[in-house]
mmCIF file of all heavy atoms in Angstrom:
data_model
loop_
_atom_site.group_PDB
_atom_site.id
_atom_site.type_symbol
_atom_site.label_atom_id
_atom_site.label_comp_id
_atom_site.label_asym_id
_atom_site.label_seq_id
_atom_site.Cartn_x
_atom_site.Cartn_y
_atom_site.Cartn_z
ATOM 1 N N PRO A 28 -91.438 -41.093 78.819
ATOM 2 C CA PRO A 28 -92.605 -40.570 78.096
ATOM 3 C C PRO A 28 -93.074 -41.550 77.027
ATOM 4 O O PRO A 28 -92.235 -42.181 76.362
ATOM 5 C CB PRO A 28 -92.081 -39.300 77.463
ATOM 6 C CG PRO A 28 -90.628 -39.606 77.206
ATOM 7 C CD PRO A 28 -90.188 -40.492 78.354
ATOM 8 N N SER A 29 -94.354 -41.716 76.886
ATOM 9 C CA SER A 29 -94.916 -42.409 75.726
ATOM 10 C C SER A 29 -95.905 -41.463 75.052
ATOM 11 O O SER A 29 -96.106 -40.341 75.519
ATOM 12 C CB SER A 29 -95.595 -43.727 76.132
ATOM 13 O OG SER A 29 -96.899 -43.474 76.630
ATOM 14 N N GLU A 30 -96.489 -41.897 73.968
ATOM 15 C CA GLU A 30 -97.452 -41.009 73.301
ATOM 16 C C GLU A 30 -98.745 -40.891 74.113
ATOM 17 O O GLU A 30 -99.537 -39.969 73.929
ATOM 18 C CB GLU A 30 -97.758 -41.488 71.885
ATOM 19 C CG GLU A 30 -98.484 -42.811 71.776
ATOM 20 C CD GLU A 30 -97.569 -43.997 71.752
ATOM 21 O OE1 GLU A 30 -96.456 -43.957 72.357
ATOM 22 O OE2 GLU A 30 -97.926 -45.021 71.152
ATOM 23 N N THR A 31 -98.994 -41.817 75.059
ATOM 24 C CA THR A 31 -100.230 -41.798 75.857
ATOM 25 C C THR A 31 -100.019 -41.036 77.151
ATOM 26 O O THR A 31 -100.499 -39.931 77.311
ATOM 27 C CB THR A 31 -100.715 -43.242 76.109
ATOM 28 O OG1 THR A 31 -99.679 -43.985 76.755
ATOM 29 C CG2 THR A 31 -101.089 -43.916 74.817
ATOM 30 N N VAL A 32 -99.320 -41.649 78.113
ATOM 31 C CA VAL A 32 -98.978 -41.014 79.386
ATOM 32 C C VAL A 32 -97.543 -41.427 79.716
ATOM 33 O O VAL A 32 -96.961 -42.251 79.029
ATOM 34 C CB VAL A 32 -99.929 -41.456 80.523
ATOM 35 C CG1 VAL A 32 -101.375 -41.051 80.232
ATOM 36 C CG2 VAL A 32 -99.862 -42.961 80.778
ATOM 37 N N TYR A 33 -96.989 -40.867 80.784
ATOM 38 C CA TYR A 33 -95.664 -41.307 81.224
ATOM 39 C C TYR A 33 -95.795 -42.681 81.873
ATOM 40 O O TYR A 33 -96.749 -42.974 82.594
ATOM 41 C CB TYR A 33 -95.067 -40.321 82.246
ATOM 42 C CG TYR A 33 -94.319 -39.197 81.584
ATOM 43 C CD1 TYR A 33 -94.998 -38.160 80.957
ATOM 44 C CD2 TYR A 33 -92.917 -39.168 81.579
ATOM 45 C CE1 TYR A 33 -94.316 -37.124 80.338
ATOM 46 C CE2 TYR A 33 -92.224 -38.129 80.969
ATOM 47 C CZ TYR A 33 -92.930 -37.107 80.354
ATOM 48 O OH TYR A 33 -92.235 -36.107 79.720
ATOM 49 N N GLY A 34 -94.812 -43.560 81.589
ATOM 50 C CA GLY A 34 -94.793 -44.888 82.159
ATOM 51 C C GLY A 34 -93.694 -45.053 83.168
ATOM 52 O O GLY A 34 -92.591 -44.441 83.039
ATOM 53 N N LEU A 35 -93.926 -45.855 84.204
ATOM 54 C CA LEU A 35 -92.927 -46.169 85.219
ATOM 55 C C LEU A 35 -92.256 -47.469 84.774
ATOM 56 O O LEU A 35 -92.792 -48.544 84.961
ATOM 57 C CB LEU A 35 -93.532 -46.285 86.590
ATOM 58 C CG LEU A 35 -92.549 -46.598 87.737
ATOM 59 C CD1 LEU A 35 -91.448 -45.537 87.790
ATOM 60 C CD2 LEU A 35 -93.286 -46.695 89.036
ATOM 61 N N ALA A 36 -91.057 -47.367 84.231
ATOM 62 C CA ALA A 36 -90.440 -48.476 83.516
ATOM 63 C C ALA A 36 -89.462 -49.246 84.361
ATOM 64 O O ALA A 36 -88.743 -48.697 85.226
ATOM 65 C CB ALA A 36 -89.695 -47.923 82.286
ATOM 66 N N ALA A 37 -89.438 -50.577 84.112
ATOM 67 C CA ALA A 37 -88.452 -51.467 84.722
ATOM 68 C C ALA A 37 -88.212 -52.643 83.794
ATOM 69 O O ALA A 37 -89.050 -52.958 82.919
ATOM 70 C CB ALA A 37 -88.963 -51.992 86.078
ATOM 71 N N ASP A 38 -87.083 -53.306 83.952
ATOM 72 C CA ASP A 38 -86.752 -54.483 83.164
ATOM 73 C C ASP A 38 -87.763 -55.560 83.519
ATOM 74 O O ASP A 38 -87.857 -56.057 84.637
ATOM 75 C CB ASP A 38 -85.340 -54.946 83.547
ATOM 76 C CG ASP A 38 -84.859 -56.121 82.731
ATOM 77 O OD1 ASP A 38 -85.674 -56.827 82.070
ATOM 78 O OD2 ASP A 38 -83.659 -56.431 82.770
ATOM 79 N N ALA A 39 -88.536 -56.003 82.503
ATOM 80 C CA ALA A 39 -89.604 -56.959 82.713
ATOM 81 C C ALA A 39 -89.096 -58.366 82.932
ATOM 82 O O ALA A 39 -89.892 -59.272 83.244
ATOM 83 C CB ALA A 39 -90.572 -56.961 81.512
ATOM 84 N N THR A 40 -87.798 -58.591 82.796
ATOM 85 C CA THR A 40 -87.259 -59.917 83.058
ATOM 86 C C THR A 40 -86.697 -60.085 84.471
ATOM 87 O O THR A 40 -86.304 -61.174 84.858
ATOM 88 C CB THR A 40 -86.115 -60.258 82.045
ATOM 89 O OG1 THR A 40 -84.986 -59.418 82.296
ATOM 90 C CG2 THR A 40 -86.594 -60.049 80.614
ATOM 91 N N GLN A 41 -86.597 -58.994 85.207
ATOM 92 C CA GLN A 41 -86.013 -59.026 86.569
ATOM 93 C C GLN A 41 -87.138 -58.982 87.620
ATOM 94 O O GLN A 41 -87.852 -57.978 87.752
ATOM 95 C CB GLN A 41 -85.088 -57.856 86.795
ATOM 96 C CG GLN A 41 -83.845 -57.825 85.913
ATOM 97 C CD GLN A 41 -82.862 -56.729 86.349
ATOM 98 O OE1 GLN A 41 -82.655 -56.496 87.528
ATOM 99 N NE2 GLN A 41 -82.315 -56.039 85.359
ATOM 100 N N ASP A 42 -87.245 -60.050 88.406
ATOM 101 C CA ASP A 42 -88.273 -60.089 89.456
ATOM 102 C C ASP A 42 -88.187 -58.888 90.394
ATOM 103 O O ASP A 42 -89.224 -58.265 90.717
ATOM 104 C CB ASP A 42 -88.132 -61.377 90.299
ATOM 105 C CG ASP A 42 -88.694 -62.601 89.606
ATOM 106 O OD1 ASP A 42 -89.497 -62.426 88.653
ATOM 107 O OD2 ASP A 42 -88.363 -63.705 90.029
#
Side-chain angles (χ1 to χ4, degrees):
S29 81
E30 67 273 30
T31 56
V32 299
Y33 273 74
L35 181 57
D38 182 346
T40 69
Q41 296 188 42
D42 281 343

